[in-house]
Each structure stands twice: as C-alpha cells, then as structure tokens.
Amino acid sequence: MQGEVVPRVPTPRRYLMCSPRYFAVDYAINPWMDPTKPVSADAAVAQWAALRDTYRRLGHTVDEIEPQPGLPDMVFAANSGTVVDGRVLGSRFRAPQRAAEAEHFRRWFLEHGYRDLTMPEKINEAEGDFAWTGRLLLAGTGFRTDPAAHAEAQEALGVPVVSLQLVDPRYYHLDTALFVLAEDSGSAGANVAYYPDAFSAGSQRVLRRMFPDAVVATAADAECFGLNGVSDGRNVVLPVEATGLGTELAERGYEPVYLDISELRKAGGGPKCCTLEIRK
C-alpha cells in the first residue's frame, strides 16, 4: 500500500453472544453444513469462549443469552437482531429450524430494558444481512432476507438503507461477504472489506462508488470466512486462516487478531455470526 498509514482508534463495543452448548449440524440450510460429518459441541464451546474472552480482553462488554436445547444455531446471535441508537429490530428466519430463536432474543431485549423494539413482518435475518456503517445500513438480499425487509428496517430504525444483491450461495448472508472495519466518524467515511464476486455486477459498482478505499478480499479470504470478521476500529478478529486479509489490514494500520473458528464454520458461521452488536 502506498502513502501514510492512517492511525486506527478502537472503540469500546457491547456485544450479545450465546454459548453453543447445544451445537450440532443435524440439518443443512446453507452450503457449509453437512450432517454426515462429525461435529463436537465441546470444541465449538471452546472456540466460542476464546472469541468471547478475546472481546473482553480488548475492552469490550459481552452479555450472554441462555442457549436453548433444540436450537443448535442459536450461537449465531448476529441473526437475531439489529440495534442502532437503542432501537431494536428483531428477526424472522427463513428456515423453520431457526424460527423459534427470534422469540428468545425478543424476550432478552425486553427483559434488559429495550422498549423500542419492532418485530419484522418480512423475512429478516438481522445482522446476518445488515451492516451498520455509522451513517447508513448496508442490507443484503438474495438468499435469506426478503428485499422488502430493507424498507421495514429503514422505518423501524430510522436510518437510510442501501440494498446489495448477493449472488453466490456460499455467501448467503451479507456478513459472509462484507464487514465494516471503521465506522463513519463524520470527518472520515466508513471503511469496509468485501469480496466482490459474492455480489451482483450492479452491487459491485455501488460498493466501488461508496467505498473507493475498501479492502478488496480474495477468494481465499472469503472461503475461510475472513469476511465474517469483527472490527472495533483498530483490532480486527479474523479466522486464523485469513492471513492474506490480515496482512492487507495490517498494512492499513489495523491489528489482526486471529482465532480458530473451524468447528463453528461447519455450521456456516464465524466470528461475526456469533456476535450481535448492541449500539445504544
């Protein structure tokens, strides 16, 4: 990379997570899931705990919701709500196997004082397909979230929404193909990383126009769930295999933090999938 490296400043975050105590791959609702391959709930819990402890070590607050038997994908908390300025938009899952998760998270928000809460009428898989840039909400569609849910999100959260079309079934949620590295600060625009081939030609043009300085990831970065990273503005939590992406981020002043998420990836999830951000 040419030029001076921009100094990166971390921002304390608040996250909601759910232990994979009942982790299993008993069905297939994305191309990464294979019920014929063995999985270990113990290994998934250990990887999840390392992620949670990393967030706390980096100065972030982590709340936990109690996992429920029979809901093995509840660990992927990002799919269960979108929170901006204390307003909560809940979720409505496309797969019937996950439908019951939405009510558990809805109750958690109400029990913790979040009264400005809307449950969607359209299929909406929350931060799986919504990425907050600090100024607007990037919204994915194509495999899970209904495009009509984008308008619903704009009304419920009161923020502008930009729709993006996903075209590769391996990257079935926006958070498998794009994540926000640094939010819009007013003086500097948002910075994102994304994998272009996951998006339609028109959405690629939108991303290039909106984020000319984006980190453009490779196929290798995407295939190990490198785009399912989590950034606090400086520290970027990545799968341990995402070394190419990590090198690029380091050259731009970010600090890669590598973790093993190999067991969680068997269900099609990574760091971001496990992490619902609560923005007050």
Side-chain angles (χ1 to χ4, degrees):
M1 177 182 164
Q2 301 296 318
E4 185 179 354
V5 175
V6 177
R8 305 295 180 184
V9 180
T11 303
R13 308 297 174 102
R14 187 179 195 96
Y15 298 132
L16 177 59
M17 300 180 69
C18 181
S19 169
R21 186 184 309 158
Y22 304 107
F23 185 76
V25 178
D26 294 331
Y27 47 80
I29 58 173
N30 67 58
W32 304 91
M33 302 177 84
D34 184 349
T36 68
K37 293 184 177 178
V39 299
S40 167
D42 289 342
V45 168
Q47 291 178 2
W48 175 88
L51 176 64
R52 178 200 59 195
D53 295 347
T54 295
Y55 290 146
R56 289 174 173 165
R57 177 176 60 79
L58 293 172
H60 307 309
T61 300
V62 179
D63 293 321
E64 296 182 37
I65 184 172
E66 186 69 15
Q68 300 296 318
L71 296 176
D73 287 337
M74 196 170 165
V75 59
F76 302 130
N79 304 140
S80 297
T82 305
V83 187
V84 179
D85 294 335
R87 292 189 182 95
V88 182
L89 176 62
S91 63
R92 181 181 291 270
F93 289 91
R94 184 167 296 279
Q97 295 93 332
R98 298 195 66 184
E101 295 176 33
E103 175 60 15
H104 291 292
F105 281 88
R106 185 191 73 85
R107 287 205 302 264
W108 186 93
F109 279 112
L110 289 176
E111 290 166 1
H112 288 78
Y114 294 87
R115 295 290 178 259
D116 194 345
L117 185 153
T118 301
M119 295 304 291
E121 296 182 5
K122 306 298 182 182
I123 299 296
N124 167 352
E125 299 204 353
E127 285 197 331
D129 275 321
F130 292 148
W132 177 242
T133 70
R135 185 175 295 270
L136 54 82
L137 196 67
L138 300 175
T141 190
F143 298 100
R144 294 292 185 84
T145 295
D146 190 317
H150 297 180
E152 230 180 9
Q154 183 164 282
E155 286 300 310
L157 298 173
V159 299
V161 175
V162 173
S163 295
L164 299 169
Q165 183 75 29
L166 296 162
V167 296
D168 186 330
R170 295 174 301 167
Y171 308 111
Y172 56 93
H173 274 147
L174 182 65
D175 73 355
T176 66
L178 176 150
F179 72 112
V180 178
L181 293 164
E183 293 183 3
D184 190 310
S185 65
S187 60
N191 191 211
V192 307
Y194 70 98
Y195 175 51
D197 288 355
F199 297 92
S200 67
S203 292
Q204 290 182 42
R205 291 194 294 272
V206 169
L207 288 167
R208 287 195 297 269
R209 182 182 292 268
M210 291 183 67
F211 306 107
D213 297 324
V215 174
V216 177
T218 66
D221 295 327
E223 287 166 5
C224 70
F225 270 48
L227 281 304
N228 199 244
V230 177
S231 175
D232 63 12
R234 182 175 187 274
N235 303 290
V236 185
V237 178
L238 297 172
V240 69
E241 301 90 347
T243 52
L245 179 58
T247 298
E248 172 75 6
L249 294 175
E251 290 174 354
R252 296 190 183 214
Y254 296 100
E255 184 69 33
V257 180
Y258 296 107
L259 291 176
D260 180 10
I261 52 94
S262 55
E263 202 68 21
L264 296 164
R265 192 164 49 223
K266 292 177 182 178
K272 175 56 193 170
C273 289
C274 296
T275 311
L276 172 57
E277 184 166 352
I278 299 176
R279 307 171 187 88
K280 292 204 171 181

